[in-house]
């Protein structure tokens, strides 16, 4: 018997493309995207800052991803950093130690670094923060890609 094709849960979602930093992602049609310069925030319906679902922060840099992560962990801005893969791209994940601790993913392509943070995690450890991601947050991350 043939194996059923998995259903694409994002087929009816909107596509956001950032032309400055050459990346895109999909998000549910009921969500809102707001741009603040290099910062792009995705909000759940009826929720506003600081309760964003996902935050994408882009920047240009010639530094390697591993040196960026080392600087962030040495400066105690990022804890529990470890290598991971996001949609076939080498990346790092960890806990962003800002005013609130967020699960964060860092991915780099050519000279573009994108930090992807997930709101409403703040559980205190990488394992707990990652486990706190909603299915929608995971699906948004699964659609992230560089466009160049």
């Amino acid at each position: 018997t043939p194996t059923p094709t998995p259903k694409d849960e994002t087929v009816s979602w909107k596509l956001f493309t950032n032309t400055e930093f050459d990346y895109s992602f999909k998000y549910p049609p009921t969500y809102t995207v707001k741009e603040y310069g290099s910062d792009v925030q995705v909000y759940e319906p009826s929720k506003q800052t600081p309760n964003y679902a996902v935050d994408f922060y882009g920047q240009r840099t010639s530094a390697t991803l591993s040196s960026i992560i080392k600087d962030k962990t040495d400066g105690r801005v990022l804890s529990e950093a470890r290598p991971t893969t996001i949609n076939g791209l080498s990346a790092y994940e960890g806990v962003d130690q800002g005013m609130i601790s967020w699960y964060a993913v860092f991915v780099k392509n050519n000279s573009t670094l994108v930090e992807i943070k997930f709101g409403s995690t703040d559980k205190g450890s990488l394992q707990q923060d990652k486990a706190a991601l909603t299915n929608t947050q995971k699906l948004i991350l699964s659609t992230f890609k560089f466009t160049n």
Side-chain angles (χ1 to χ4, degrees), residues 23 39 52 54-59 61 63-98 100-110 112-118 126 129-130 141 144 146:
Y23 67 86
D39 203 22
Y52 56 79
V54 187
D55 178 75
F56 295 84
Y57 180 77
Q59 64 182 16
T61 179
T64 64
L65 183 57
S66 58
S67 69
I68 292 165
I69 298 303
K70 182 179 183 329
D71 287 349
K72 288 187 176 293
T73 54
D74 287 353
R76 297 196 170 115
V77 175
L78 184 69
S79 67
E80 299 185 65
R82 68 178 187 199
T84 190
T85 303
I86 302 298
N87 308 327
L89 299 167
S90 294
Y92 277 84
E93 64 183 355
V95 178
D96 181 288
Q97 298 291 330
I100 298 175
S101 299
W102 306 111
Y103 172 66
V105 174
F106 295 80
V107 61
K108 188 170 187 279
N109 185 44
N110 300 320
T112 301
L113 171 72
V114 179
E115 178 183 4
I116 308 166
K117 294 191 295 188
F118 297 85
L126 177 61
D129 283 354
K130 195 171 178 178
L141 181 60
F144 174 86
F146 285 106

Side-chain angles (χ1 to χ4, degrees), residues 6-23:
K7 181 183 173 196
D8 180 1
E9 295 179 61
T10 68
V11 71
S12 64
W13 285 17
K14 295 180 179 181
L15 178 67
F16 176 86
T17 301
N18 184 303
T19 54
E20 182 180 358
F21 296 106
D22 304 314
Y23 67 86

Side-chain angles (χ1 to χ4, degrees), residues 24 35 47 50 59 79 81 99 108 111 129:
S24 69
E35 294 183 74
K47 289 192 176 180
Q59 64 182 16
S79 67
M99 290 172 43
K108 188 170 187 279
S111 65
D129 283 354

